[in-house]
Amino acid sequence: MPLVEIEGLRVSFRQYGGKVDAVRHVSFRVSEGESVGIVGESGSGKSVSCSALLRLLPATAEVEATTLRLDGVDVLKANKEDLARLRGRSAAMIFQDPMTAFDPVFTIGHQIAETIRAHRKVGKREALAEAEQLLLRVEIKNAADVLGYYPHQLSGGMLQRAMIAMALSCRPKLLIADEPTTALDVTIQAQILQLIKRVQAEFGMALIMITHDLGVIAETVDRVVVMYGGEIMEEGAVTDVFEAPKNDYTKTLLASLHSRFEPSKGAPDTVAPALELRGVAKSYHTRRRSGFRVVQGEFQAVQTVDVVLPRNRIVALVGESGSGKTTTGLMAMRLTEPSRGQILVDGTDISQLDPAALIPFRRRMQIVFQNSYSALDPMMTLAQIIAEPLHIHGLGTPREQTEKALNWLERVGLPRNFGNRYAHELSGGQRQRVAIARALILEPTVLVADEPTSALDVTVKAQIINLLKQLQAELGLSILFISHDLSTVKSLTDSVVVMYRGRVVEEAPTERLFAEPQHPYTRALLDAIPATNPREKRLRTFLSADEIKARTPRYTVIQTGSAPNAAPQLVTIAPGHRVEAIVTP
Amino acid sequence: MTAHIIRRILSVAFTFIVVSIIIFLMMHSVPGGPFDANDMPVSEAVRAKMMAQWGLDQPLHVQYFNYMWGVLHLDFGVPFQSPGETVVELISRAWVPSLILGGSGVLIGAPLGILLGMAAALNRNTWIDYLASTLATLGLTIPVFVTSMLLILIFAVWLNWLPASGWPQPNRWILPIACYAAIPLATYARYTRSAVLDTLNRPFVTVLRAKGLSERRIVFQHVMRNSAIPLVTVFLPMFIGTATGSIFVEAMFRVPGLGAYFVSSIEVRDYTLQMALMLLITFMYCLAYLLSDIAYALLNPRIRVGGAE
Amino acid sequence: MTDATAPITTTRQRSPLWFAWRRFLSNKAAVIGGVVLGILILMAVFAPLITPYNPEAQSFLTEALAFPSAAHWFGVDNLGRDFYSRIVYGARVSLTIGFTAALFSVLVGIPLGALAGYFGGRTDWVIMRIIEVFSVVPPLLAALLLGALTRGGYGTIVFIAALFGWVNVCLLVRAQIKAFREKEFVRAAQALGASPWYIIRRHLIPNSISPIIIGFVLAIPMAMMLEASLSFLGVGVPPPTPTWGQMINEGIDFMFFYWHLAVFPTAALAITVLATSLFGDGLRDALDPTLKGR
Amino acid sequence: QTTVVAPSGSTAGTYMDYMKTVYDRGTGSELLQIPIATFDKEFELTPMAAESWTQSEDGLTWTFKLRPGLVWSDGEPLTAEDFVFALQRAATSGYDFAWYWDFAGGIRGWKEVTEGTADVSTLGLKAVDDVTIEVTTVAPKPYLPSVTSLWYPVPKHKVDELGDDWALDVATIVSSGPFEIESWEKSNNSVVLTKSDTYTGPWSPLIDRLELDPTLNAPEVGLPAFLAGDADYSFLNTGQVPVATARYPDGIRKNAVFATSYISYDLDAAPFNDVNVRRAFYYAVDRAELTSTVLKDIAIPAGSILPPGYPGYNPDIAAEAVFDPERAKQFLADAGFPNGEGFPEVEIWYREEGGYNGAIVPAMAQYLQAEFKEVLGISLNIRALPGPEWMDGLRGKKNNIFIAPYEYDYLDPSNFYGIFYNGGRHGYFIPEYDEIIAKADSESDWDTRYKLYAEAEQLMIDQGLIVPLVHPVTIAVVSDQLTGDGVAPNSLGFTQLDRLGHYFFTHITKQ
Ligand SMILES: Nc1ncnc2c1ncn2[C@@H]1O[C@H](COP(=O)(O)OP(=O)(O)OP(=O)(O)O)[C@@H](O)[C@H]1O
Ligand SMILES: Nc1ncnc2c1ncn2[C@@H]1O[C@H](COP(=O)(O)OP(=O)(O)OP(=O)(O)O)[C@@H](O)[C@H]1O
Ligand SMILES: [Mg+2]
Ligand SMILES: [Mg+2]
């Protein structure tokens, strides 16, 4: 008997002014020990289907199904107590956003122990001991301490692991992982995926992996379900689907995975670069409480960084989470005041200009924010949001502004009637496109795009990237492209700047960087890119910060022409290729 | 945290001084003095003598500084209304009944209000919710003196279950405490309802459900604790707030508390007592806000154990 | 794309207000509250048309204190005035006091809250100190003192209610704006070259609509209650102008037998406040598009 | 042990010493001491501390003989010296009732001493021996004995020991009257008195304990407490009368309190500097309607400053105060305001207070407002002010029209007429009036006196100095457990309750 049996699932949501169908005719099964992936575009009903299985949908949801069984229990007929027993024990879930998934006022230890005790009769102390073991299992080194930590004291990656530990704590027969890695950077993502796979094997659990990232699927599962628009498009063994997709949507999905983009043509202009950062740095004052004391400190978010964005080029800024990419991008826009350094736009230093003098530059430089959800005013309709730049700069009549906004809506691949909608009514990918439309409507010459495609599924991503390319060609747009997604970087950008802990550790033309990475961090980063082919699944090793430091490359004076120094410095080892290294005499 | 507390204390001290100046000026700009209530005028000579006796003949700023200098030494002067004792003695005597009744009112009303609010939130948009919300609104709308009168009429006059009013015997406390409880009950019910609804909408509640926790545990442990933290900040100020409510309740129930002095000190221009009472309430409020701040910080792990602010 | 999940929308361009209106209409309690409030306001406005007698004329001295009857729906008060007329006219004063005070609170509270929240620093410090001064003085005592100073009356009550009402609004708005100031859509607007004033007006204040409405709705009963409390303490609106607070206060004396003198004004006050808060809640939910299917 | 619980006056009291402060006195301070003389229920003056008194030939000197054997509750003998000391201290210490001894008592040298221009020894007071007091007045004061009903002794030995503070603390308070003090709750000025063991004067109490509680005074609070058995009687407001009458048909008592509510003016300020305006107001009040509707049961019409039954009350004068709208309009027209046109908006100020005035004045003010509007076409605004401010306004002439209440202090017409004498309470200076009053006050022939007072009142009417409005009546419900002469109505049908405390509380018993 299969562990999960879903037959003819249909979920709709009651809303003001009618019902919305989220999921229709969904049927699939999962047997014990099996791992199944659900892929599909954003908003296709992946999360809703799984939540329906655990009856975790809000009260406005109406769930119908011919069969909806979990571990032999008819979920639709189960009462509250049965459900409580079923949840956690038969199936546990890892949620998309670990930051909001923990109760902020209880310690991690309490929350894990509580889960254990909800399902088994054990003492508090034993439960805590078990929790510690679980934390160790998910490779949290200082597990004993972490037990006493509150959620906000952990980083996103650690929380995600604690979340997995919590899910494992009830020894579920089925683990549902809902996009467990979207919020994480590639290196952590790879670690988490590997971890999930390992514990799955160890505990002999079945796994449902929800994602829109085909690479993740290729890496982790045996069987795949492809969803689109609330329905299942295709289902089959992962190798079969990857090698011989039947459905059109699956085909485009896979096609986009293998597409290649051409690097920008023509030699860069010799005139001043579109944007140049000279020695910019940013330090934050931090205040940490320890007990009742406040410890004041300086945190170097960005150490002296030089970045050149030549005209009509796309430069990528990559690096681990928290390495200062966003901060650099914001400083370039003068949205965060740099602590030091100059910002040159077309050769003019704008780092000292007052707000009024900045306005003409603001028209030429735009930014797409990393978090598209908070970057859109929740009280404004999309048409208003996109037209806002025109409104601020007083371009055209209100009618023309709206009209132009609606055109841009189409250009980024959204229907015109979305103009009436609000940000919260969109999926993540749709929101990101709105943010891009807003940034581009003024037809700027410089664009700082901070993870503009992180929430997009591959098809839409391809569309957006095409759009960016096209604009680059049409408008002579220069883009500083901040991203975690190395495959996109590889296919889109002309050169890459790698940041690590607030410093630039390597910089090179794209092809050269991917071919000959020098810095150990760059290598680790490239190594973490998920495979695009299920047959390429492999085990990875991960470097710790100390190991990276220890492996800093060494060059001689002759190789680099720089003065020898025991401290690492950026040295040029080939035209356009700089790397942080220790120069030995 | 210490620095934070010190900064708060300084700002509170600043506020306190500003308030004291404002009150002092307002108090003295009200026409009529403490010796003007008599049916027939006292002669100018007599008046002057009495003004001099209380130091009221000095310029205002001198009076202010004299008074505040005394306050620094915890000397709040002698109430004109009761020259046999000091203001401090008077207040500490009269405050006891007010504190007993007001305190019990809040202590009883607040938990009941929380329960009512939870019941409303958990049964959102059912008759329980509507009933609870209506009760809460009524509690806030019907003036205390009407409630007092109603309770007296029902329980003392018609049903004859309880004494109508009066002080020392504890069975006379029941009705006034019920009146005092109405406002915290209503306020807490409102606050709790919205706090619980907010909490229920947070993603971690879904996670808790997914873990297989019983609904009861989710509500009474997680939701309650999370909702309680913001509620802490209103508790103490509300406690102090009952002090002014005592004007009505104590008048209706013949309680020899502080309430009557609020009104009488203003009416008979009892400057020392008036000033002391105002300063007392101001001070209590300052303290209450300060303590709530600290309590909030202590209860909220985000602040207590550091990390991002 | 995601057409399958798209809500059933017509292709016509509808204004956000239209949607707000639809959302409002689907909230039954709010509609009832709104209707009741509307009726009350209309009654107050058209008081002369719907009241049979002059509220101040003591035309029924011989029937003083009469109970409700067909001729006098709410009875007659101790001074021989038709009580129904007085309640209706009382709505004028009480509603005016409530709404004026609330309006003042909002007019003062929003800009100050916005300034404090947006600019922070010294502006915030100064405004916070002012707020602190207001929050540590109990309104009732201050009202007593101010009442003694200004001899009470209409203006004083509105003034006092506004004086203490804006603090609430200001704090709510400030907190909201502080929270939103760091949001990226504000940054986005800055990146577009928007001025602080533009950002406050277009982004921050609309996003604070819910605390503003809460503040507004809370200020109304607060002012009306203040009026009642002050009447009890003798610093109210001078007679013969009928006000609910004054009528409640006088009614208390007659509660033993002539119950109608206390019951009707209290009920009027309670109904108004109840309706206002239902309406306000509904309005807030309707104006905030993000609260979707709740 | 019988305990009577009774409502009583003011909730705030400073000293338990009537001769130290009247307006801020502790509850029951008069019951603790024995006055020279007091009134019984028929308003007959009865000697208390004094056994007898005589007036000298020239009418200027009175000699009071004290009852022998009177003692203070601490055993010290009560002597003439204690009475003399009481007034000497009053004259020098800023006594808030000092005016009384000037205008009612007319004691020689009083004014000079209070103003500090003469030594206290020049006062016309002398303790001839332990039981003899001699009082010299400026002019003949035929009614002086009744003035002494407010003359209580002060324990000189205690004052010598503790100063004025003797009257602050139950432990140090000594009494000379029928009651002793047991406890005093200062928050609300309620006291518990007990029957005195040492008292040898007339009227010894029939009850053992007496609780006087000012918080019971407001009928809204008092009646529920009474109904719940917590009080032995309670005053009633209009709204309560039907309930109380239905429940206790035999327990209802009324009392005319010898008080008057009247309108007074600032005679120098427009528009009331015009006598025609004042007279218009005089005729524009329908007192009968006012008291039969709005103030039903709690007031009777006032045609004169003197209440009916009061010595010197003149029904003919009172009958002049009729409601005559035509005449009122005519007067107003004569003043240049036909039908109220051009009449400025005026604001009438009244004093906020509890008790019977609190019950009648606000309602009356609104009645007048409507009435003046209707009859005279005048807009009258109403403002209630706390005591000090109202007084401040009256004295400082900060407003031009007031509703003023006055309750008698001693039983003689000179009491009421004195409040308008030579400035007095209202700052009225009417030479003709002052002349008549001065003459009347010192006239020893009673018929002539009453005639002179009637003349003075006629002058008041002609000049429109005041508009007498109503005489308040208090109405109360008394428990059937309370018996004795005290609760039985007098020949006029009135029961004095605590108004004549000495008589009432010593003439009640409780089952
Ligand atoms: N509470 C809700 N009320 C109304 N509609 C909802 C609700 N939750 C989800 N939906 C809708 O149901 C559809 C499916 O949502 P779901 O969360 O399953 O998407 P998903 O496939 O998980 O997307 P993503 O990859 O972005 O997480 C979406 O169109 C979404 O708008
Ligand atoms: N306002 C701030 N105050 C203090 N520290 C900050 C602030 N903003 C950012 N930081 C810190 O600066 C560092 C760099 O942050 P930044 O957002 O630039 O990282 P990132 O490279 O964009 O990371 P991600 O890939 O996760 O977006 C982080 O460690 C962050 O915690
Ligand atoms: Mg999802
Ligand atoms: Mg970033």
Side-chain angles (χ1 to χ4, degrees), chain A residues 16 24 377 388 393 421 424 430, chain C residues 2 4 7 26 192 203 207 289:
Chain A
Y16 288 130
R24 279 161 297 173
D377 188 333
E388 190 178 20
H393 291 283
R421 291 209 182 180
H424 69 91
Q430 292 167 337
Chain C
T2 51
S26 61
L192 292 168
H203 293 287
N207 272 291

Side-chain angles (χ1 to χ4, degrees), chain A residues 87 103 114 119 152 289 292, chain B residues 1 211 222 226 303 306:
Chain A
R87 291 171 183 161
D103 185 339
E114 168 190 70
H119 295 283
H152 72 269
R289 289 177 207 281
F292 275 89
Chain B
M1 193 84 189
K211 292 198 312 193
H222 292 270
N226 274 281
I303 303 181

Side-chain angles (χ1 to χ4, degrees), chain C residues 27-85:
Chain C
N27 182 342
K28 251 178 272 151
V31 172
I32 294 174
V35 168
V36 171
L37 197 62
I39 292 176
L40 282 167
I41 292 174
L42 287 180
M43 281 172 77
V45 171
F46 296 106
L49 300 182
I50 57 166
T51 52
Y53 310 105
N54 178 340
E56 291 168 19
Q58 304 171 348
S59 327
F60 307 98
L61 276 167
T62 46
E63 297 162 49
L65 294 172
F67 285 100
S69 64
H72 303 288
W73 295 352
F74 293 174
V76 178
D77 80 354
N78 58 327
L79 289 172
R81 301 174 289 203
D82 180 53
F83 210 50
Y84 165 71
S85 308

Side-chain angles (χ1 to χ4, degrees), chain C residues 134-148:
Chain C
F134 281 98
S135 53
V136 299
V137 177
L140 193 63
L141 294 191
L144 269 178
L145 210 66
L146 269 176

Side-chain angles (χ1 to χ4, degrees), chain A residues 470-499:
Chain A
Q470 182 194 341
L471 288 171
Q472 187 206 0
E474 275 174 23
L475 309 170
L477 184 63
S478 318
I479 304 175
L480 185 63
F481 189 85
I482 302 175
S483 182
H484 280 309
D485 181 355
L486 292 173
S487 52
T488 311
V489 166
K490 192 174 174 183
S491 56
L492 174 69
T493 63
D494 299 305
S495 67
V496 180
V497 176
V498 183
M499 284 188 75

Side-chain angles (χ1 to χ4, degrees), chain C residues 107-177:
Chain C
L107 285 183
V108 178
I110 293 177
L112 285 185
L115 283 179
Y118 188 78
F119 291 104
R122 197 163 299 167
T123 323
D124 189 33
W125 189 88
V126 170
I127 293 173
M128 281 310 283
R129 291 294 79 73
I130 299 176
I131 286 181
E132 213 163 74
V133 167
F134 281 98
S135 53
V136 299
V137 177
L140 193 63
L141 294 191
L144 269 178
L145 210 66
L146 269 176
L149 200 64
T150 57
R151 307 218 181 91
Y154 208 87
T156 311
I157 290 171
V158 171
F159 177 70
I160 294 168
L163 207 59
F164 287 86
W166 73 269
V167 172
N168 232 328
V169 180
C170 186
L171 279 176
L172 290 169
V173 170
R174 172 180 171 272
Q176 189 84 352
I177 284 188

Side-chain angles (χ1 to χ4, degrees), chain A residues 252-271:
Chain A
T252 38
L253 258 186
L254 287 166
S256 66
L257 195 59
H258 300 291
S259 63
R260 284 279 170 272
F261 295 92
E262 292 300 307
S264 308
K265 301 251 164 44
D269 294 336
T270 42
V271 290

